[in-house]
Amino acid sequence: MINLLQMLQQQRSPFYEELSIYEDGRKMLERSLREKGGMEYYLISKKFIKQWKYYVDYDEEMDEYEKDTRQKPDKINSDLINHEKLFKYFPEGHIYNSSIRYLENEWDYEIVLKEVYEYFKANYQSIEPQIRVGFYNDNLKRKQIFPNLARFTLIYWSPIDNKLNTIIAQVDYNSEIKAWTNLLRDTFQELFKPKKINNVRIWCPRHKTFKQDLLIQQIIKTKQVDGDILDDNMMIFQMQSQRNNCLILDLEMNDWQFTKFKKTVEYDNELLLEIALQGCGQLVCEFPQCKLNNGFLELGFGEEDIKGICQVLIENEEVKWELMCSKQKNLDKNLIPFQQRDNKIDIVQYLLKISNSLELFGFSFVENFNKNQGIYQIDQENPEINSSLIQLTDSLLKQQKENTLQIIKNLFSKKVMDIEPLTNLYQLRALYLILQFRGCLNVILEEKSQIILTIIRRLSLQHLNQLSKWLTKLDKSELIQLQQIIKYLIEDQIKIQQNAPIRPLLEIDDISRIKGLFELYSLIYKSNLRNRRIKASDFIINSIQHFYKVDADREEFTQFQMFNQKILRNYSFTFCQYAWSMPIEFKSKLLYIECKVKQYDQRRRTYGLLPQYVSLTIERDNIIESAIKQLQQTQVSLKNPLKVQFVNEQGVDEGGPKREFFRLIMEKLVTPDYGMFIPKNNDTVFWFNPQSFEMPIYYSLIGKLLGLSLYNSVLLDVRFPTVLFKKLQREKIKEEDLKELDMETYTGFQFLREQTDPKIIESLCLTFNATYKVWGENYYEDLKPNGFQINVTIENREEYIQLYIDWYLNKLVQKQFDLLKDGFKTVVDGDGIKLFSGEELQQLIIGLPTFDMRDLELSTKYDGYDINSEYIKYFWNCIHSLNVEMQKRFLFFCTGSDRIPVGGLKSIKFVIQKHGEDTEQLPSAHTCFNVLLLPQYKNKETLKEKLKISLENAEGFGLM
């Protein structure tokens, strides 16, 4: 940025002054945040900052012709304004009387100093300034600035009409109570003229979470407040209150309006007894002692018994006052769950009625509902959906867009407006039901105010897991339909953002929408992991890699880096939070960029200017020892590019020697003769030898070689099972992972599970003891203490299977695997590797299992040949006619490797170059550059014969 400022100064740019003010302001801001004491800061929305940076070409990305058409930014905070006036009696324009949208994320705004804000305001205009006070926090070791104002419901007694009133009021979290009460005094003095208000004090209720109706009921009854007066010197944030908690305002005229209520125990007893005997009248209540839940009357307890129980609960402090309910008025008791309605009533109209009760909606559409069973209890394993009723309703809602959206508003808009999460399973089931209306889900999710997406973004981890569990009950076609709807909406949003005039995700709403859609998509993905019905590849969204018009991989990596480093000032959104939805080719580019960044950072720390290499001089006859010695002694980070030179062999490593080195050393280390690995599953894969006596450094070497091959884009010809790579990525190991490694054991477990006759299981004579064989010798281990004495029965067989799998895949080879993993981690670390699943990591290191030569043909470039010539067409016909083994030989002959890279053969930059005419010379190749040197023979038969000879005798890396 300094270079940019110097350049702008030399060019006498009109933006030099404001860029200087902004950059200097950033430095002063960071300094001020580390200083003790209080200070005022200004909050500016990220939209303005992004527009401004584009306008002044802050990132130096704009061409000269573009600068003539750029537009000035909107008013500061134009996207934050909310026209709701919470407290009309505060002075006009007062910050506590302004209402901006609730800022959920630190990346929605930027904090600047007064000087920067005033300069911006003078040049670009602003809506009402958003001033926040920051005070030093000893725990954070810096100032704490709250973006949102604290919000309370104030209860006050009007001296004009002698009634209790309520009003919503805001205040800065870093304000003192005294400063706030002074403002309130002046405000209410203006309101209640000519009454003289001498002072104001604030009471905090003893039960902080009580709703206003409970508090008003108590104050009216006693003219006293059950609580304490807030200390004038207390800061608002020290109250640790929830949004919209109630406070009681006390006005001093001739005397204070309220005194302290002292009969707290008697009041609590009376309050609890009333709710235990009469209930709150709601359909669903979370308060355990409410009549709806306590079951006292059903158990035959009389009023005196219940009174005694209430007293004991209070004395033992077992009452959850934060869940305390209160008697509800105006509840329509005639409303019943949807499935119990009169069939003559219009379906959509009845839905509109019951949508005013989130809980009532939540236990509608229940399959096999029994009206005599009392309150419907939610099943956490099964949402028990009446599918036929859902489909009928869905078909009707599809034709009534306005009513559909009104139902959504009735259900969830208050939750959204009050920043309140879903609080029980009935409310969560209501959300789940909405997701079942797949015929109109597009309309619901594209709705401008994003009600459903906001609810989903704010779900607790517990509720997210519950929704994911319920989604496992959808059949394959239902889940696919839901997945395709969300995928389409995400792709549509990506397309919209790709065409954004300035840059993608300029608006907070844009970020919120795509975040909400991905959270919903993630729910479907995680549900599919629990019960697979959709291929993992179907969740991949290819358009992600084209989200940014220029340098998409660099832009995404920057966002990913900012997110991980919590530099939220420069952050908007990263797809890497949902790495399973990203194409593996795109993720591998991000890994490559991260590697280059780490290399650069290391050079900068060591004051190096030129690129560094991990240079190995390898003896072919002593390849393992020479590699170990040099990899241990090198002072260069193993993240740097690898260069290999074989002793007494000429040539520069442009890729060929490096591939040859990996092929030779892995072939030697993994061979059964070396004793580190043993063949499994009919010799299809190699697994750790639990009885290996090789030095630990050899396993560590293999880990390093896996990491080096990854960072140097060399595919290894090594048959390790997927479970090894899953373990490297710390994925949970499952029974299915045993299939590839030991099919015999896997099918044995299936047989054990299928048995229904206990005698058959007993006849197998199994105990909690495991056996394994290495080179013909048997070894035994207990799966649990004294396992050899514990027989496997029909009751404990599942425990036996799980213990066996854990032992086989983890405990048995723990020592060997940990050594390999540590070696891998010395090369590969950071956040980039976390983007890949174990299966994807396997593809990056070993390559794809299948290939299509047509992909290579379509991507091939030609030097000296015409792509449409008969000669070239015949050449490819010859290649396509080869069997798979010979096609692999062709790949090895041309590129030095028969492994298939991520992205398939189309990702290889392959060239066929003309190399003489009418010659007897065989085809050859520059494997370092993937160039096939193909002579033009006099006839097709000669071409076929020469090609066959070359492939049958292919050896080494063919460097010319």
Side-chain angles (χ1 to χ4, degrees), residues 448-464:
K448 188 177 180 182
S449 56
Q450 302 184 33
I451 292 175
I452 293 296
L453 294 180
T454 303
I455 291 292
I456 288 170
R457 286 202 323 272
R458 294 175 183 169
L459 286 175
S460 66
L461 183 60
Q462 180 183 357
H463 279 168
L464 285 169

Side-chain angles (χ1 to χ4, degrees), residues 44 121 237 314 447 496 543 569-570 651 658 667 795 839 853 889 939:
I44 296 181
K121 183 181 177 183
F237 73 83
I314 291 170
E447 173 256 340
I496 290 170
S543 54
R569 180 174 54 81
N570 295 326
K658 185 164 49 186
E667 192 176 85
E795 290 80 15
E839 191 174 340
M853 275 296 177
R889 278 190 171 236
N939 55 52

Side-chain angles (χ1 to χ4, degrees), residues 42-99:
Y42 284 73
L43 183 151
I44 296 181
S45 76
K46 193 67 72 66
K47 176 184 176 181
F48 173 82
I49 295 295
K50 289 176 182 176
Q51 288 179 322
W52 173 76
K53 285 183 175 180
Y54 174 79
Y55 180 62
V56 301
D57 197 16
Y58 181 87
D59 297 314
E60 302 179 74
E61 295 178 341
M62 200 180 297
D63 293 325
E64 285 301 320
Y65 71 90
E66 293 179 288
K67 295 181 180 180
D68 296 332
T69 59
R70 59 190 171 190
Q71 294 181 339
K72 290 186 74 171
D74 295 339
K75 289 183 180 181
I76 300 171
N77 294 346
S78 61
D79 56 329
L80 301 189
I81 192 167
N82 185 336
H83 297 289
E84 172 194 24
K85 291 296 180 181
L86 296 176
F87 200 163
K88 63 184 178 182
Y89 308 118
F90 273 171
E92 186 67 29
H94 193 283
I95 183 59
Y96 295 170
N97 192 29
S98 69
S99 178

Side-chain angles (χ1 to χ4, degrees), residues 399-414:
Q399 302 167 27
Q400 302 186 43
K401 179 179 176 181
E402 294 298 324
N403 284 332
T404 301
L405 294 179
Q406 188 59 52
I407 289 168
I408 299 301
K409 289 176 184 176
N410 292 349
L411 286 169
F412 298 109
S413 61
K414 190 173 189 307

